[in-house]
Amino acid sequence: MNKSTASRMRDLGAFGLAGFAAAAVLFSVAQFVSAFFATASAPLVAMGSVFIDLTPPWLKDFAIATFGTNDKLALFISIGVIAAIAAVLVGILARRSYALAATCIVVLSVAIGTAVLSRPATGVVDLTPTILGSVAGLAALRWLTALASKARPPVPGGTPVPGASRRNFLIGTAVSLMGAAVATGVGKSLATARNVADAARSALGLPPAAVTAPPPPANAQIELAGMPKFITPNKDFYRIDTALSVPRINPSEWSLRVHGMVEKEFTMGFEELLAEDLVESYLTLTCVSNPVGGQLVGNAKWLGYPLRLLLERAVPRDGADMVLSTSIDGFSASTPLEVLTDDRMALLAVGMNGEPLPLEHGFPVRMVVPGLYGYVSATKWVVDLEVTRFAEKAAYWTTRGWSDRGPIKLSSRVDVPRSFASVPSGKVVMGGTAWAQTRGISKVQVQIDEGDWQDTELGAEASVDTWRQWRYEWDGGSTGNHVVSVRAFDGDGTMQTSEKADPVPDGASGWQRVQFSVE
Ligand SMILES: Nc1nc2c(c(=O)[nH]1)N[C@H]1C(S)=C(S)[C@@H](COP(=O)(O)O)O[C@H]1N2
Ligand SMILES: [Mo]
């Protein structure tokens, strides 16, 4: 490389770095200011949310399959990398013309502002973080590119540039990046301090249940290393939702509107809800995106008010066949009216395993419905129930390629041994889980290699709405690779289908096969 190419590269690098630092200033200032506005007023949150809403089902499925419940982190990192590349390019563009680079930033800011305004819980004032961030970013770009120009190596025959100019540029960049880091950090603490939902949740004492559920029998839990807990602790409960930042609802400002095809519309506040006779119920939730053998299933003790009684009060009109439940962040689910009015324990829940709902699981109020996948029933942060018809309204995932109904498919899973585990020779104890909410599990069978199907020993049944654990003792086999397959039968004796289906559009099916080896 000759000397002038090298100095040209160095110059490009400096302008690229200036672009990157200016973008850091833009996003961090916006992030800081967003602490005083709606959570979706932060550019990253708004852009990420729009991205999620536009995500086709195959990509959502791929993201969940690849990153599991880290899918949001993966999204933030992707947006960050793309933004960093764009910022470097804008910086390089500023070397030719600041005006052109500034135009790019303004266009981008308008796009961000549009994303902010498209969120359900934002208004015009929520553009403030984007506007202030953009002004700061433009100023930073102007300043840093000016410093970078002064730091240019001397052109042949030009006046030599003192070494101090180069240092000035580097100091300017460092100051911008540090300022950005401080603004982000302080903004985070401010947002936490201003989080009334957290404080209200900690202060909240839930009333005792008017109808308690008997605790599950002790032998519902199969004692075997590697088996899931029969009751999933809240901190381990899978989390799936479209919310990039968890909605923070002050319970004293929460209310639920019940309306649509009803005789009596009404609105209920949180105090009113707690004053009702609350019911306890054990229920296993399952996500439609759960692949065969997957972990998107959890079991908890819920406390809430029966949706049946709530709807009785509203008196649905003839012809209504669906309840569209909507969350404060715009997510919605379509649940058959008959499912919410029959005798299963569909709840408007406030408690999970003896605590108020965790923020990520819907604080202060969510729905849980036995027998239906979460996407058509388990609306978190719920604020609106509209009694309507399937023919008239469509829910969030229905408009994105998923089925409008989502009964949970009879499923079974091997938890022990794990895939590709190696086990010592001799007796092998296996174990797993099966679920068919509202019908229960009557039998689970396993097949080792191409052998006959064998009945397993079942843990006690806590309720037809909860999963059931199984255990099987295998005498052991030759060293080398083996496969265990599993299938379950529901309470009516119906066998789990062997037919393989992907999660889209209405849930995965097929028998799980787990490979392991005997040492
Ligand atoms: N507001 C809101 N509620 C939601 C969702 C969502 O994206 N937003 N996702 C649903 C889906 S797909 C599932 S599987 C369950 C998961 O509940 P959990 O995160 O408490 O396990 O919540 C449901 N409720
Ligand atoms: Mo889900």
Side-chain angles (χ1 to χ4, degrees):
M1 205 189 309
N2 66 35
K3 211 165 159 198
S4 78
T5 330
S7 72
R8 180 153 186 272
M9 294 301 286
R10 191 133 38 99
D11 197 34
L12 284 177
F15 276 84
L17 185 59
F20 178 81
V25 168
L26 187 157
F27 280 104
S28 61
V29 167
Q31 183 72 40
F32 172 82
V33 178
S34 75
F36 302 94
F37 296 89
T39 32
S41 71
L44 281 181
V45 173
M47 288 192 299
S49 309
V50 166
F51 182 86
I52 288 177
D53 286 355
L54 298 178
T55 302
W58 63 265
L59 185 56
K60 176 217 175 204
D61 222 45
F62 165 81
I64 290 179
T66 315
F67 305 111
T69 43
N70 283 327
D71 55 342
K72 297 193 177 70
L73 183 64
L75 174 60
F76 274 129
I77 292 175
S78 314
I79 295 181
V81 169
I82 293 170
I85 294 172
V88 168
L89 293 178
V90 168
I92 290 174
L93 185 63
R95 182 169 168 271
R96 287 250 162 278
S97 151
Y98 173 79
L100 217 56
T103 311
C104 283
I105 295 179
V106 170
V107 168
L108 224 86
S109 302
V110 170
I112 296 174
T114 312
V116 169
L117 285 182
S118 78
R119 305 315 302 157
T122 55
V124 179
V125 288
D126 296 303
L127 292 176
T128 316
T130 304
I131 293 170
L132 293 184
S134 302
V135 169
L138 284 169
L141 187 69
R142 171 108 248 182
W143 181 51
L144 292 173
T145 50
L147 290 178
S149 310
K150 282 194 198 134
R152 275 199 178 130
V155 282
T159 17
V161 176
S165 302
R166 192 161 174 75
R167 206 156 48 236
N168 284 348
F169 168 70
L170 290 177
I171 291 174
T173 309
V175 165
S176 306
L177 288 175
M178 257 155 23
V182 170
T184 307
V186 175
K188 264 225 154 72
S189 333
L190 260 177
T192 313
R194 292 174 47 87
N195 179 0
V196 283
D198 256 332
R201 181 179 182 274
S202 314
L204 185 69
L206 287 180
V211 182
T212 55
N219 51 349
Q221 175 77 52
I222 300 275
E223 296 301 339
L224 174 64
M227 284 294 287
K229 291 246 161 43
F230 182 77
I231 296 172
T232 316
N234 289 356
K235 65 171 178 29
D236 299 334
F237 207 95
Y238 81 91
R239 173 187 167 202
I240 292 288
D241 54 58
T242 62
L244 257 191
S245 69
V246 176
R248 305 183 180 290
I249 303 177
N250 185 344
S252 63
E253 282 161 20
W254 176 88
S255 68
L256 177 72
R257 180 167 173 238
V258 183
H259 64 111
M261 297 173 66
V262 295
E263 295 301 333
K264 295 176 202 151
E265 282 196 22
F266 65 92
T267 299
M268 186 184 229
F270 193 62
E271 287 302 315
E272 257 175 284
L273 175 57
L274 292 194
E276 295 295 344
D277 282 349
L278 301 185
V279 174
E280 239 176 38
S281 170
Y282 288 87
L283 167 64
T284 300
L285 291 194
T286 312
C287 181
V288 68
S289 298
N290 195 43
V292 170
Q295 301 294 319
L296 300 177
V297 48
N299 185 40
K301 180 176 77 173
W302 306 92
L303 174 72
Y305 185 59
L307 278 155
R308 183 187 345 117
L309 300 180
L310 197 81
L311 289 165
E312 223 166 69
R313 191 182 308 180
V315 192
R317 287 207 212 106
D318 285 349
D321 63 3
M322 189 256 268
V323 175
L324 186 74
S325 53
T326 306
S327 142
I328 195 156
D329 68 356
F331 168 91
S332 59
S334 55
T335 313
L337 179 63
E338 61 178 18
V339 164
L340 298 179
T341 46
D342 68 16
D343 57 5
R344 79 187 77 192
M345 211 27 108
L347 292 179
L348 191 59
V350 295
M352 182 176 183
N353 289 330
E355 290 175 20
L357 294 173
L359 297 195
E360 314 76 73
H361 293 290
F363 182 80
V365 184
R366 73 174 303 172
M367 290 176 35
V368 290
V369 180
L372 299 187
Y373 288 120
Y375 83 108
V376 286
S377 67
T379 305
K380 305 191 270 190
W381 314 290
V382 64
V383 292
D384 190 286
L385 297 184
E386 180 180 358
V387 178
T388 175
R389 295 164 47 78
F390 276 103
E392 266 156 42
K393 292 274 160 89
Y396 187 92
W397 286 115
T398 312
T399 57
R400 290 167 175 78
W402 296 77
S403 166
D404 60 356
R405 323 255 169 156
I408 294 175
K409 295 181 181 176
L410 165 59
S411 306
S412 57
R413 187 174 80 187
V414 177
D415 291 283
V416 185
R418 296 249 171 262
S419 263
F420 303 113
S422 50
V423 301
S425 65
K427 195 182 83 176
V428 178
V429 183
M430 304 181 172
T433 329
W435 56 88
Q437 290 90 325
T438 69
R439 285 159 291 150
I441 295 292
S442 60
K443 183 157 76 175
V444 175
Q445 293 184 322
V446 293
Q447 180 192 40
I448 316 273
D449 301 325
E450 300 308 315
D452 290 336
W453 285 91
Q454 307 285 338
D455 287 356
T456 65
E457 220 179 292
L458 291 184
E461 175 169 82
S463 109
V464 291
D465 295 333
T466 55
W467 59 12
R468 193 159 181 190
Q469 300 195 339
W470 60 265
R471 161 186 207 282
Y472 181 70
E473 277 184 24
W474 181 48
D475 287 337
S478 53
T479 51
N481 290 337
H482 295 279
V483 177
V484 52
S485 310
V486 65
R487 68 185 187 195
F489 297 74
D490 70 11
D492 307 327
T494 305
M495 185 176 74
Q496 178 183 344
T497 178
S498 62
E499 203 174 303
K500 290 192 181 122
D502 286 333
V504 187
D506 62 359
S509 69
W511 298 339
Q512 190 192 3
R513 291 164 57 82
V514 169
Q515 241 197 71
F516 64 99
S517 64
V518 170
E519 287 188 331

